[in-house]
Amino acid sequence: MATEKVDGFRLDRIGQLLSTAYPELALTPGLDALTLRPFAPGVLLHSDGRHHRAGAQAGAGGARGALHAVRALAAAPRSGALPRQRTGSAAAAPRMRTGAPLGSAVDQARLGAALTRLAATPAERLLRRPEAPAAEALAARGLPARTIDGFLRPLLAALLCDPDLTSSSRCADLALRAFAAGRLCVPEGGADVLPELLARTLPPGTVHTGVRATAVSTTSVTTAEHGEFRCRAVLVATDARTAAELLPGLRVPGFHPVTVLHHTTDEPLPTGASLLLDADRGGPVAHTAVLSAVDPSRAPAGRTLISSTVLGPPPDGVDTAVRRHLARLYGTPTGRWETLAVHHTAEAVPAMRAPHDLRRPVRLLAGLYVCGDHRDTSTAQGALHSAHRASAAIVSDLGAGSLHAAEPVRTAQRAA
Ligand SMILES: Cc1cc2nc3c(=O)[nH]c(=O)nc-3n(C[C@H](O)[C@H](O)[C@H](O)COP(=O)(O)OP(=O)(O)OC[C@H]3O[C@@H](n4cnc5c(N)ncnc54)[C@H](O)[C@@H]3O)c2cc1C
């Protein structure tokens, strides 16, 4: 969740897509100060040189919640506009244009009804559905092939960072449900605002960055350069591979590679604050957006920031291939755009192949705990939810009173 600051730009390493319907963004202490910047409703699909708005859900409270977000942002742009409980039931017609890639008006109405139903389905019920690879399950949903190929496949690939849709159909349903029930969004100011807000809820001096743990036990953490810290309990909150090094026996999942590219130009672009997907899959870009239109704080005045995500192993000469694809997607030459950053993360997102356990144990034994996206779903929501489960286990083991009284890191004694 790191954000690079370069010449007035704020450049995320991650692929940007959160949902206003992620419950943990509303439940986690400290994140009430988070301002979410929503994309325009639904997504913009590029097909045959034209743009088509798709999936702009108005049922099940999604659009109302999103509207709430927009109004709150307009009223108080910097003061925390996270929409909380969405209770609206007004069901306006889905706002989609006719034609490829969404099919006929009837096809679109079926898609709108399916998304509305999904938004209203409790998550627990989705988790009881039979589980299969998402690509297989999609074909069995009774939706027209062009709706699946032109809209659902590119959308799910973007939401799951999984171009081949090998992920569990249950995880795909959860991702689509979050899409239908809320609005895709980015944190104002950059992804690193989330960990900064979390750290701010703790007493000053509690969090130490740049300290690498090399070994853990129930009573101590050994670090690379700062010796050993004694403690009453250890929670390992690293990526999956490091967690398995620190806690031998922990499973290491497969990973989806992700490459994020940031470009700038001084020309305005026609897509506004939309998330743009290529229904024709005519190049390496899975999704792209004029991020400075979604969140103006990410670019200096007068500059346009375009952020794009490539899923899977990137092609040779990724920047050239991406610029060529972006020229078609935005309908404008990109040869003079400036490349600000190309970030490739080989082990970006833990794969969630079926059968996927969304509630992997976070308590290994009394005093030793683990959390992170690899214990839950591979999203910021999953990482935060696993952290909630782990902290509940710690509170229960240590006793709430003693946990509140202790300040483990500040009071830890350096033993070496
Ligand atoms: C390129 C990319 C694109 C993504 N796109 C999206 C998206 O669009 N939407 C979405 O919801 N999610 C996305 N994700 C996933 C999301 O970023 C992760 O799910 C989330 O950051 C996981 O949080 P975490 O706390 O489990 O792990 P991390 O965010 O990986 O944090 C682990 C921390 O542990 C630290 N650490 C590692 N080893 C050690 C050690 N030995 N000692 C001490 N500290 C250590 C690391 O420095 C890091 O700060 C993306 C991720 C990547 C990489």
Side-chain angles (χ1 to χ4, degrees):
M1 304 290 281
T3 303
E4 240 180 359
K5 286 90 183 172
V6 181
D7 296 338
F9 292 95
R10 303 174 71 85
L11 309 175
D12 280 358
R13 295 186 76 98
I14 75 157
Q16 327 280 352
L17 303 180
L18 304 185
S19 167
T20 57
Y22 280 171
E24 290 296 332
L25 295 181
L27 293 171
T28 305
L31 295 188
D32 45 345
L34 181 69
T35 300
L36 293 178
R37 287 276 176 183
F39 288 92
V43 293
L44 212 54
L45 290 172
H46 176 269
S47 179
D48 271 341
R50 295 183 58 196
H51 290 147
H52 310 260
R53 172 89 35 213
Q57 259 317 86
R64 262 178 81 147
L67 194 63
H68 173 99
V70 173
R71 284 205 189 113
L73 286 167
R78 308 195 71 83
S79 65
L82 182 67
R84 290 185 174 264
Q85 202 61 37
R86 276 168 288 279
T87 55
S89 59
R95 287 181 287 140
M96 299 177 215
R97 287 182 201 151
T98 51
L102 286 166
S104 67
V106 174
D107 293 342
Q108 293 168 45
R110 283 168 72 186
L111 172 65
L115 288 175
T116 301
R117 267 198 312 275
L118 195 57
T121 306
E124 292 312 318
R125 195 182 309 164
L126 294 180
L127 295 179
R128 288 197 296 271
R129 283 182 174 179
E131 197 175 17
E136 271 176 34
L138 271 184
R141 287 289 155 85
L143 287 165
R146 58 187 156 187
T147 307
I148 293 175
D149 290 334
F151 172 65
L152 287 174
R153 278 181 192 276
L155 175 65
L156 274 175
L159 297 176
L160 299 167
C161 296
D162 174 8
D164 300 323
L165 296 187
T166 54
S167 301
S168 153
S169 53
R170 290 180 185 166
C171 300
D173 280 346
L174 286 180
L176 270 185
R177 180 179 180 274
F179 171 81
R183 277 266 286 274
L184 295 178
C185 60
V186 295
E188 185 178 80
D192 70 352
V193 168
L194 265 92
E196 277 169 12
L197 288 174
L198 295 178
R200 221 179 276 168
T201 61
L202 300 168
T206 303
V207 176
H208 299 260
T209 56
V211 179
R212 192 162 61 87
T214 54
V216 297
S217 73
T218 53
T219 53
S220 70
V221 177
T222 308
T223 66
E225 289 110 5
H226 299 273
E228 185 180 310
F229 291 80
R230 308 288 306 166
C231 54
R232 296 176 59 202
V234 173
L235 170 56
V236 174
T238 66
D239 57 279
R241 188 171 296 284
T242 309
E245 283 163 17
L246 293 170
L247 302 165
L250 221 58
R251 158 188 168 278
V252 181
F255 293 92
H256 297 299
V258 178
T259 309
V260 178
L261 299 93
H262 298 284
H263 294 97
T264 184
T265 173
D266 50 14
E267 61 172 319
L269 293 171
T271 54
S274 299
L275 183 73
L276 181 55
L277 308 179
D278 188 0
D280 302 336
R281 281 174 281 170
V285 176
H287 59 90
T288 179
V290 178
L291 215 61
S292 49
V294 183
D295 175 6
S297 76
R298 297 194 183 217
R303 303 296 297 178
T304 301
L305 172 66
I306 305 101
S307 300
S308 311
T309 296
V310 173
L311 303 176
D316 289 339
V318 61
D319 188 39
T320 308
V322 163
R323 277 167 185 265
R324 208 173 291 139
H325 196 189
L326 292 178
R328 286 199 301 280
L329 292 174
Y330 287 104
T332 188
T334 56
R336 295 182 55 203
W337 287 12
E338 187 188 337
T339 302
L340 294 168
V342 179
H343 291 305
H344 175 67
T345 310
E347 297 193 339
V349 176
M352 299 186 285
R353 294 208 166 79
H356 180 72
D357 183 356
L358 283 96
R359 301 286 178 267
R360 284 187 189 282
V362 290
R363 179 186 188 273
L364 302 182
L365 46 111
L368 207 48
Y369 312 83
V370 59
C371 69
D373 55 4
H374 53 104
R375 311 309 292 169
D376 210 283
T377 54
S378 303
T379 59
Q381 155 69 24
L384 287 168
H385 189 251
S386 73
H388 254 150
R389 291 192 288 129
S391 44
I394 295 171
V395 166
S396 163
D397 283 351
L398 293 187
S402 59
L403 187 80
H404 285 193
E407 293 178 5
V409 177
R410 285 217 307 167
T411 55
Q413 296 302 309
R414 284 261 305 268

